[in-house]
Amino acid sequence: MKKIIVAGNWKMNKTYLEAKQFIAQMNQKSSFGTEVILGVPALYSDTLYANNQKENVHIALQNCSDQSEGAFTGEISARMIASLAVKYCIVGHSERRTIYGETDDLVNAKVKQLLDSNVRPIFCLGETLSERELDQTFSIVERQLTLGLQDLSNEDVSNIVIAYEPVWAIGTGITASKEQAEEVHAFTANYLKEKYGSPLASTIPILYGGSCNEKNALELFSQPNIWGGLIGGASLQFEVFENIIDIAEKLNNGR
Ligand code: PEP
C-alpha cells in the first residue's frame, strides 16, 4: 500500500532565521502522520534537525560528494551527512545535472556513497523538453535508472526514493498533467518490477516533482503510481507547504 510522502526542496533559498522560523511553524502544526522530508541548505541542517520536534518530519540535504573523504575542498561527504543523523539526501537533481554537468555515472557514485553511509538517496530523474518532443521520454528515464542504479544490491535499491521530475516542469509553473506524470511513473514502477521483482519494487516510492503545488497536488497524488511530491517553489512558504501536507494527510487517511 503506497503512503503519500511530501518532500520539499528549498534549493539555495532562505536565511538561517527564515529556515528556523519555518521549522518553528512546522512544530506548531497539529499532529499528522504523513512523512515529510525537507531538503534544506547543508549549512543549517544540524540546527534544523535539532529544532525539529516532529517525528515524521525529516531533514534532508540537497547534494553530496561522490568521494568518501579527503582533499575535496568545499565538498560534503555522505559520511558527514550520516554523522548528523540526517537520513535523506537529494541526488541527480536536474539543476545539478544541467548547471553543474553531473553525469549518470557521477550520480551513481553519489547514490553509492549515500547508501554505504545509510543515508537514503532521493534519486531524481526526468527528461528535458526537447527529449520529450523527440519522443525520448521513456528511453531517457530508462537510461537514467539503469546507469544511476547500476551495481546496487536489492537491499540498496530498497532504500531509494525516486523522484520523477520532468525538467520542463521544474520551476516553470508548467506541471505535467496527471496523465503525463502517471505514464512515466507507471513506466518506472514497471522497470523496477522487472529488474528487482514485484515485492521489492512495490515498496519503492516514486515522487513527482515539477511545479507541484496546492492546486494540483490532489490530482497528482491520487494517481496509482504517484507516491507524493518533491516540491521546490511551493515548499518555501510554510502555509502553502502545509496545505500540500494536509492534502497528503487526507489521502493517507483514505479521505
Ligand atoms: C524541484 O526543485 O525539485 C522542483 C520540483 O521545483 P518546483 O516545484 O519549483 O518546480
Side-chain angles (χ1 to χ4, degrees):
M1 248 299 266
K2 77 169 188 188
K3 278 278 176 207
I4 307 288
I5 298 169
V6 179
N9 176 14
W10 286 356
K11 313 190 189 195
M12 199 173 71
N13 291 298
K14 290 196 185 294
T15 64
Y16 183 54
L17 284 181
E18 288 163 354
K20 285 202 297 183
Q21 175 66 23
F22 188 103
I23 295 296
Q25 287 176 287
M26 186 72 86
N27 287 339
Q28 293 300 310
K29 181 168 169 54
S30 53
S31 99
F32 55 91
T34 297
E35 187 174 351
V36 172
I37 302 168
L38 277 178
V40 305
L43 204 53
Y44 314 151
S45 58
D46 196 29
T47 304
L48 301 184
Y49 178 83
N51 286 8
N52 170 41
Q53 294 166 2
K54 295 276 189 212
E55 226 175 87
N56 47 334
V57 173
H58 306 282
I59 301 299
L61 260 65
Q62 303 171 12
N63 183 30
C64 76
S65 174
D66 61 318
Q67 303 292 325
S68 55
E69 65 180 341
F72 301 99
T73 302
E75 289 290 273
I76 294 173
S77 73
R79 200 161 149 246
M80 292 171 181
I81 298 172
S83 71
L84 293 177
V86 168
K87 297 267 187 306
Y88 292 89
C89 181
I90 297 168
V91 272
H93 192 280
S94 72
E95 286 150 18
R96 303 244 24 121
R97 291 180 191 257
T98 55
I99 304 170
Y100 299 99
E102 294 196 1
T103 61
D104 291 312
D105 287 342
L106 187 86
V107 174
N108 177 246
K110 294 183 176 198
V111 166
K112 287 177 178 159
Q113 287 293 333
L114 289 167
L115 290 166
D116 285 349
S117 292
N118 293 321
V119 179
R120 291 186 74 179
I122 302 175
F123 169 60
C124 303
L125 46 83
E127 82 288 359
T128 62
L129 184 58
S130 57
E131 289 163 346
R132 174 163 281 265
E133 286 170 350
L134 289 169
D135 219 4
Q136 294 173 342
T137 299
F138 295 133
S139 60
I140 295 294
V141 166
E142 183 168 1
R143 189 205 74 215
Q144 290 172 331
L145 283 165
T146 304
L147 298 180
L149 303 182
Q150 69 188 321
D151 302 328
L152 299 187
S153 68
N154 279 23
E155 195 195 331
D156 282 341
V157 173
S158 72
N159 284 312
I160 285 185
V161 176
I162 292 176
Y164 168 57
E165 300 205 303
V167 180
W168 47 272
I170 298 181
T172 59
I174 303 167
T175 317
S177 67
K178 59 183 191 309
E179 293 83 9
Q180 285 173 319
E182 170 60 17
E183 160 177 84
V184 182
H185 280 243
F187 174 86
T188 304
N190 200 45
Y191 172 97
L192 296 171
K193 193 166 128 191
E194 280 179 4
K195 188 132 190 211
Y196 304 104
S198 236
L200 171 51
S202 65
T203 65
I204 302 173
I206 309 171
L207 310 182
Y208 168 78
S211 300
C212 181
N213 57 41
E214 57 192 330
K215 294 197 183 83
N216 54 36
L218 178 62
E219 66 171 13
L220 286 164
F221 298 174
S222 302
Q223 300 307 302
N225 290 287
I226 299 183
W227 292 58
L230 178 55
I231 297 148
S235 72
L236 291 174
Q237 208 187 323
F238 179 76
E239 293 76 12
V240 175
F241 194 59
E242 180 180 34
N243 286 338
I244 301 174
I245 297 172
D246 292 344
I247 291 166
E249 182 73 2
K250 281 192 184 136
L251 288 169
N252 282 334
N253 291 333
R255 283 186 282 134

